[in-house]
Amino acid sequence: MTHKRVIIFSGGSLFPEFLDQIEKDDYIIGADKGALFLINNNVHPHISVGDFDSISEEEKLIVSSSSGEMMDCDAIDKNLTDTELAFEIALKQRPTHILLIGGTGTRLDHTLANIQMLNRALQHHTSLTILDKNNYISMTGSSLEVTNLGYTYVSLLPMTAEVTGITIEGFEYPLEDATLKLGQSLGISNRLTGEQGSVSIESGLLLVIQSKD
């Protein structure tokens, strides 16, 4: 059975209000501490994965007994982060969309690695978004509809050396056939003028970050 959407709860910053994102037919993956977060909030993941080095042995038993399936990996021998392991499992579901919650936090290295997974999702013809308390992060290599989700700003950041043909509509500061180069901040802190805007590009990869303070 394939699922239209997969939600990954990883071990970064997690808050109870994130549980409101879960819909009936979602396939739910708990990665390491994210699995325990789900179970402590009466949500049973379809699968829990990781080395579980951030929880106790007693908590690990709780995760094992409360998950549909558990993939326990050796912390030393594994080559992927817990979040990337969860991402690989998500791809096998052939979803139209993957939502990653708890993919950001105090570890900047993990956060950046998770943001780079947005590109890998595009390569597999699916979309990935990363949600935390202050940000909603997407990526496009072609076009993207931006819906007003209550965030203050929408920022555009190139993920390749150059992004060309950037045209945006429905924003306070429109762009038409613009080019952004890596390191430029021209696309920071724009705002939607209504409930929806559009972003399209001709080449490159563009991060679209909705954010608030």
Side-chain angles (χ1 to χ4, degrees):
M1 179 181 177
T2 59
H3 293 258
K4 290 185 177 180
R5 190 173 79 152
V6 175
I7 301 186
I8 300 170
F9 282 81
S10 193
S13 299
L14 293 167
F15 300 91
E17 56 263 36
F18 291 153
L19 300 167
D20 295 338
Q21 296 290 326
I22 298 174
E23 298 175 359
K24 180 182 176 182
D25 294 325
D26 289 338
Y27 186 86
I28 302 171
I29 303 174
D32 197 76
K33 192 168 59 176
L36 184 64
F37 167 81
L38 287 168
I39 291 159
N40 284 341
N41 285 280
N42 300 311
V43 177
H44 300 280
H46 290 84
I47 185 169
S48 295
V49 61
D51 53 31
F52 300 100
D53 60 351
S54 60
I55 64 177
S56 68
E57 285 299 319
E58 182 180 356
E59 290 170 331
K60 188 174 173 181
L61 289 173
I62 293 171
V63 169
S64 178
S65 64
S66 301
S67 303
E69 185 181 350
M70 183 159 171
M71 184 182 295
D72 187 3
C73 307
D74 187 279
I76 297 174
D77 290 338
K78 75 183 179 79
N79 294 318
L80 307 180
T81 65
D82 295 328
T83 304
E84 190 174 2
L85 285 168
F87 175 73
E88 293 291 339
I89 293 169
L91 288 176
K92 291 178 181 178
Q93 296 297 317
R94 297 182 181 177
T96 56
H97 184 66
I98 302 170
L99 176 62
L100 172 58
I101 297 173
T104 63
T106 56
R107 287 285 300 270
L108 184 59
D109 50 350
H110 281 268
T111 298
L112 289 174
N114 293 338
I115 289 173
Q116 289 178 358
M117 285 197 307
L118 293 163
N119 181 32
R120 291 193 54 210
L122 291 180
Q123 292 171 355
H124 285 84
H125 308 290
T126 189
S127 63
L128 168 67
T129 53
I130 300 174
L131 172 70
D132 65 26
K133 207 167 186 179
N134 296 87
N135 304 280
Y136 187 79
I137 308 169
S138 305
M139 180 186 286
T140 184
S142 55
S143 63
L144 184 70
E145 295 297 317
V146 181
T147 301
N148 189 342
L149 301 175
Y151 296 92
T152 309
Y153 307 106
V154 181
S155 294
L156 309 178
L157 289 170
M159 281 292 284
T160 46
E162 186 175 84
V163 180
T164 67
I166 304 169
T167 298
I168 62 175
E169 296 178 353
F171 292 85
E172 283 189 5
Y173 307 106
L175 292 173
E176 185 173 355
D177 198 26
T179 296
L180 281 177
K181 296 183 178 181
L182 205 61
Q184 291 182 331
S185 59
L186 175 65
I188 296 290
S189 297
N190 210 330
R191 293 175 186 256
L192 287 167
T193 55
E195 291 305 306
Q196 199 160 11
S198 64
V199 177
S200 64
I201 68 173
E202 290 184 0
S203 70
L205 293 171
L206 187 69
L207 275 181
V208 180
I209 305 175
Q210 298 184 60
S211 60
K212 60 185 176 183
D213 294 322

